[in-house]
Amino acid sequence: METKKLTKKDAFIRTINYMAQAKQIDFYANDNNYAEVQSACLKLSTLGIRAQAFNTLNTAYLDAIEPSHTLAFVVSHSGNNQTMVDAAYALRKKRIRVIGITGKLSPTLELICNENLYIDSYSHHLPFSIMLYGLSIHYIIDILVVSLSLKKTKK
C-alpha cells in the first residue's frame, strides 16, 4: 500500500511511453534486486521486447549500443548504492534515458535519473522489509509490463 501512495501517475505514463519507443531495455541492479530485474526481463521478452539485466556497468557494451534506442532502469533500495549511482551517471553521460526505481531514503540516485519510480523502502516493516521491498519492485514492474502490453495491443 505504501508503494501505491508513492506512485506518481505522470511518471508512470512517461515511463511507459519511453518503454514503447525503446528497442532495447536494460536493467541495472545488484544483490536481491538483480533477481527481481531478471524477472522483469523475462516478462518483457514475452512481449517481444529485448531486455537484459546487468549487475554492474559493462563499458564495452555501453560503447557498442545506440543510446537513442536504449532505455535503462537502475534499481537501488536506498538510492545510495555507489555501483548503481555510478551506472546511472555513466548511462546519462552516454545520453541514455535512465529510470530510477528507488526508495526515498537518499536523493543521490534520483538526482541523476530522468524519471524516478518510488518504492516503499523504509525499515518500519521489519522483519518483513526484504520481502515487502521485493513485492514493491514486482508491483512497479508488473504495472509497467501490463500497461505496455495494453498500449501495444491498441496499436
Side-chain angles (χ1 to χ4, degrees), residues 72-109:
F73 285 85
V74 177
V75 182
S76 171
H77 178 211
S78 66
N80 202 32
N81 178 307
Q82 196 59 52
T83 301
M84 295 301 108
V85 168
D86 291 346
Y89 181 76
L91 292 161
R92 283 296 306 272
K93 194 172 174 184
K94 184 76 175 173
R95 299 187 184 269
I96 294 171
R97 186 166 284 150
V98 179
I99 311 297
I101 299 178
T102 183
K104 293 190 94 161
L105 300 177
S106 169
T108 308
L109 183 61

Side-chain angles (χ1 to χ4, degrees), residues 14-102:
R14 286 189 298 271
T15 300
I16 292 160
N17 288 332
Y18 299 149
M19 292 174 76
Q21 296 167 5
K23 293 183 180 175
Q24 171 71 35
I25 299 176
D26 295 339
F27 289 86
Y28 293 83
N30 55 23
D31 300 327
N32 292 340
N33 297 334
Y34 186 72
E36 305 293 345
V37 300
Q38 284 180 311
S39 169
C41 293
L42 179 62
K43 291 172 185 177
L44 289 169
S45 71
T46 64
L47 298 178
I49 297 169
R50 284 184 17 201
Q52 55 190 346
F54 297 94
N55 60 8
T56 189
L57 194 64
N58 180 332
T59 54
Y61 169 76
L62 199 57
D63 289 339
I65 62 173
E66 177 59 43
S68 63
H69 297 166
T70 307
L71 177 66
F73 285 85
V74 177
V75 182
S76 171
H77 178 211
S78 66
N80 202 32
N81 178 307
Q82 196 59 52
T83 301
M84 295 301 108
V85 168
D86 291 346
Y89 181 76
L91 292 161
R92 283 296 306 272
K93 194 172 174 184
K94 184 76 175 173
R95 299 187 184 269
I96 294 171
R97 186 166 284 150
V98 179
I99 311 297
I101 299 178
T102 183

